[in-house]
């Protein structure tokens, strides 16, 4: 006959065909490796068992692929493709492609040690501290001629990675042609502010102000553009509207417009009008 069992809270896939229902305190525990007393039907199989071969195991209501392993001087072992409930004394059947080839009695559930986890790789050592002074000294000596990472590595005999850390720690300024010393960047900016206070300049004129070639002038001008100091309008560069060097505060009449913002003279704040002119605006009582 057939018996229907209602398993509350169990998904259908969790109870495949051949599953067993046992009590929690029964001796049947799920196992996928069993040691057994093997009975091999040599006449039925037509040969002796191989040292290792694939068979089907029928145990209770379960049927699953398994590997039969012969161990000299030890009980035979079967490794099942999935766990099935088993206990010592249970009987099982071994089947091959042509039919039943043997069976056995379970001696014990074999304990197969889980593979030990691979040791964690050692933590990478923190990068060694790099003294930026020698690299920054080379950069300072180069003046307004930007140097790249490879050129600095070749000049100092340091790996490129160390050079990069030294440049970061030393506050080097990056341009499109390489790095310049922060003190040099300050000089370039100050000279550009003085020259551009009288009006827009071309790249050739800025090149003459800085005393460098066109390639280096282009890199320095690009740095000032990216820093928000200047802006390019056609072939000229001018001070960016609203730019004030750090630390400069707007006057009492609001931010003083830069002279070349409109191409003319910056208006003076009201407080800077000469005294005689202020007197002309006073009305007689």
């Amino acid at each position: 006959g057939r018996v229907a069992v209602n398993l509350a809270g169990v998904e259908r896939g969790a109870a495949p065909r051949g599953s067993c229902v046992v009590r929690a305190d029964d001796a049947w525990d799920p196992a996928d490796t069993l040691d057994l007393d093997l009975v091999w039907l040599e006449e039925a199989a037509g040969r002796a068992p191989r040292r290792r071969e694939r068979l089907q195991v029928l145990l209770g209501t379960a049927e699953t692929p398994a590997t039969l392993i012969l161990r000299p001087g030890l009980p035979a072992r079967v490794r099942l493709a999935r766990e099935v409930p088993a206990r010592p004394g249970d009987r099982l059947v071994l089947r091959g492609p042509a039919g039943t080839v043997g069976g056995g009695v379970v001696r014990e559930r074999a304990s197969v040690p889980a593979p030990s986890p691979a040791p964690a790789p050692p933590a990478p050592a923190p990068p060694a501290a790099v003294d930026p002074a020698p690299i920054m000294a080379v950069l300072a000596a180069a003046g307004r001629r930007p140097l790249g990472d490879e050129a600095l590595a070749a000049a100092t005999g340091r790996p490129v990675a160390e050079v990069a850390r030294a440049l970061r720690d030393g506050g080097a300024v990056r341009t499109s042609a390489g790095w310049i010393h922060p003190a040099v960047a300050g000089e370039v900016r100050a000279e550009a502010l003085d020259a551009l206070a009288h009006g827009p300049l071309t790249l050739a004129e800025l090149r003459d102000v800085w005393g460098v070639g066109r390639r280096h002038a282009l890199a320095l001008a690009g740095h000032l553009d990216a820093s928000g100091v200047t802006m390019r309008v056609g072939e000229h560069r001018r001070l960016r509207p609203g730019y004030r060097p750090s630390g400069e505060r707007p006057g009492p009449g609001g931010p003083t417009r830069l002279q070349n913002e409109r191409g003319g003279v910056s208006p003076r704040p009201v407080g800077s009008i000469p005294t005689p002119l202020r007197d002309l605006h006073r009305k007689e009582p």
Side-chain angles (χ1 to χ4, degrees), residues 55-82:
L55 298 168
Q56 287 289 115
V57 168
L58 286 76
L59 177 58
T61 59
E63 179 177 356
T64 179
T67 301
L68 173 64
I69 304 171
L70 300 184
R71 303 182 300 163
L74 296 172
R77 174 170 289 181
V78 287
R79 289 183 178 169
L80 310 175
R82 63 181 178 88

Side-chain angles (χ1 to χ4, degrees), residues 43-262:
E43 294 182 0
R47 57 177 175 79
R50 299 187 180 96
R51 184 176 178 182
R52 189 184 188 97
E53 59 181 297
R54 296 281 294 174
L55 298 168
Q56 287 289 115
V57 168
L58 286 76
L59 177 58
T61 59
E63 179 177 356
T64 179
T67 301
L68 173 64
I69 304 171
L70 300 184
R71 303 182 300 163
L74 296 172
R77 174 170 289 181
V78 287
R79 289 183 178 169
L80 310 175
R82 63 181 178 88
E83 290 186 335
V84 298
R87 66 177 181 178
D90 284 351
R91 298 177 182 274
L92 57 81
V93 176
L94 300 172
R95 285 185 179 172
T100 301
V101 295
V105 178
V106 176
R107 295 186 62 169
E108 60 181 345
R109 294 180 291 268
S111 58
V112 179
S116 57
V130 178
D131 181 10
I135 296 173
M136 296 302 293
V138 173
L139 204 60
R144 302 176 184 187
R145 301 185 305 277
L147 296 178
D149 294 3
E150 293 78 7
L152 285 167
T156 59
R158 297 297 189 104
V160 174
E162 289 188 11
V163 169
R165 291 202 302 273
L167 293 171
R168 182 187 65 241
D169 296 342
V173 177
R174 189 179 188 90
T175 73
S176 60
W179 300 89
I180 57 175
H181 197 279
V184 173
E187 296 172 359
V188 167
R189 181 173 60 252
E191 292 178 4
L193 289 174
D194 289 343
L196 291 170
H198 303 286
L201 297 176
T202 65
L203 181 64
E205 291 169 329
L206 284 172
R207 178 193 63 193
D208 295 339
V209 168
W210 291 323
V212 296
R214 186 180 187 282
R215 174 174 172 269
H216 295 147
L218 189 62
L220 299 177
H223 163 63
L224 294 181
D225 292 345
S227 302
V229 178
T230 58
M231 60 183 296
R232 182 176 177 180
V233 180
E235 296 299 320
H236 293 76
R237 276 181 170 80
R238 54 184 288 186
L239 292 176
R240 188 175 295 275
Y243 171 77
R244 294 193 307 274
S246 60
E248 180 179 315
R249 297 179 179 274
T256 303
R257 295 182 182 272
L258 297 170
Q259 179 176 349
N260 66 343
E261 183 176 346
R262 294 182 177 176

Side-chain angles (χ1 to χ4, degrees), residues 26 72 241:
D26 283 339

